[in-house]
């Protein structure tokens, strides 16, 4: 099962290497990784997508919590959340004249943007959930994808989930 793990860390030199090293040392695969500073420049948020059963993910979270610079770890998979990724896709438009029109039509359907154009290519930008990005890629494939770059997924808990989680953590344990 796929898990999206959000890791709040101190924004210090080498923290990302320690977190990634933890995964590689234990043979856990990272499907996608994204990291950026938060509103507080002293902290960064790492979003990791990994695959494993609940026991493996529980081990990962326990190991992450042992890293000194890690402030908070949340498995967003269990909570209501939003996740997105961005892709830049350069497609070939010089094989047939109708390919340019087809690329624009597909771009409109997916609310993607043409961010660069040349006589032989269009470069499209799309942001959305993984299914949306994959569907666009599959429709563009027959036109001839020259290059594809994807960000790692980013995710955030929905506000109702945050309230629920906070409320549940304040209840005494039986």
């Amino acid at each position: 099962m796929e898990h999206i793990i959000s890791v709040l860390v101190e924004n210090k030199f080498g923290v990302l290497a320690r977190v990634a090293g933890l995964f590689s040392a234990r043979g856990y695969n990272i499907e996608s990784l994204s990291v950026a500073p938060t509103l507080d420049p002293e902290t960064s948020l790492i979003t990791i997508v990994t695959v494993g059963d609940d026991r493996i993910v529980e081990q990962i979270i326990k190991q992450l919590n042992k890293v000194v610079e890690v402030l908070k770890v949340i498995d967003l998979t269990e909570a209501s959340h939003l996740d997105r990724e961005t892709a830049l896709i350069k497609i070939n438009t010089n094989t047939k004249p109708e390919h340019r029109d087809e690329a624009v039509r597909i771009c409109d359907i997916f609310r993607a943007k043409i961010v660069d154009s040349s006589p032989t290519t269009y470069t499209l930008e799309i942001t959305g959930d993984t299914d949306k990005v994959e569907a666009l890629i599959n429709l563009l494939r027959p036109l001839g994808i020259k290059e594809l770059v994807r960000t790692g997924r980013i995710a955030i808990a929905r506000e109702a989930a945050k309230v629920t989680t906070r409320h549940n953590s304040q209840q005494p344990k039986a």
Side-chain angles (χ1 to χ4, degrees):
M1 179 179 174
E2 182 182 89
H3 289 266
I4 301 172
I5 301 171
S6 177
V7 186
L8 183 66
V9 298
E10 295 175 15
N11 192 1
K12 290 184 176 176
F13 176 85
V15 174
L16 179 60
R18 279 190 281 286
V19 169
L22 181 150
F23 278 76
S24 67
R26 287 160 182 81
Y28 304 137
N29 192 30
I30 295 175
E31 299 291 324
S32 102
L33 174 73
S34 178
V35 60
T38 65
L39 282 175
D40 177 1
E42 301 289 316
T43 62
S44 290
L45 188 65
I46 301 173
T47 304
I48 302 167
V49 178
T50 189
V51 175
D53 61 27
D54 290 343
R55 187 185 58 80
I56 290 173
V57 172
E58 185 181 327
Q59 283 180 330
I60 290 171
I61 291 172
K62 284 179 181 174
Q63 294 298 318
L64 286 170
N65 279 313
K66 290 180 182 176
V67 177
V68 172
E69 295 89 354
V70 170
L71 304 172
K72 187 176 182 183
V73 180
I74 300 172
D75 182 358
L76 290 172
T77 310
E78 298 171 0
S80 179
H81 68 278
L82 299 170
D83 67 283
R84 297 288 185 267
E85 71 174 311
T86 297
L88 295 173
I89 308 163
K90 188 181 295 180
I91 58 170
N92 196 359
T93 58
N94 68 345
T95 52
K96 294 181 181 176
E98 61 268 18
H99 280 183
R100 289 184 82 82
D101 293 337
E102 179 69 5
V104 170
R105 189 180 67 76
I106 293 171
C107 187
D108 287 343
I109 291 170
F110 283 85
R111 296 183 186 156
K113 293 185 219 167
I114 297 174
V115 293
D116 192 34
S117 174
S118 78
T120 59
T121 64
Y122 278 148
T123 302
L124 309 178
E125 174 188 321
I126 184 167
T127 299
D129 62 27
T130 301
D131 291 341
K132 179 180 178 180
V133 173
E134 287 290 333
L136 177 64
I137 291 168
N138 288 333
L139 280 178
L140 292 174
R141 207 175 299 273
L143 301 180
I145 295 175
K146 291 182 76 173
E147 206 172 333
L148 170 68
V149 180
R150 295 169 81 160
T151 64
R153 285 163 58 188
I154 56 172
I156 191 167
R158 290 183 181 264
E159 194 58 31
K162 285 183 176 178
V163 171
T164 301
T165 302
R166 189 178 314 132
H167 176 72
N168 289 344
S169 66
Q170 292 174 349
Q171 291 179 349
K173 294 181 180 177

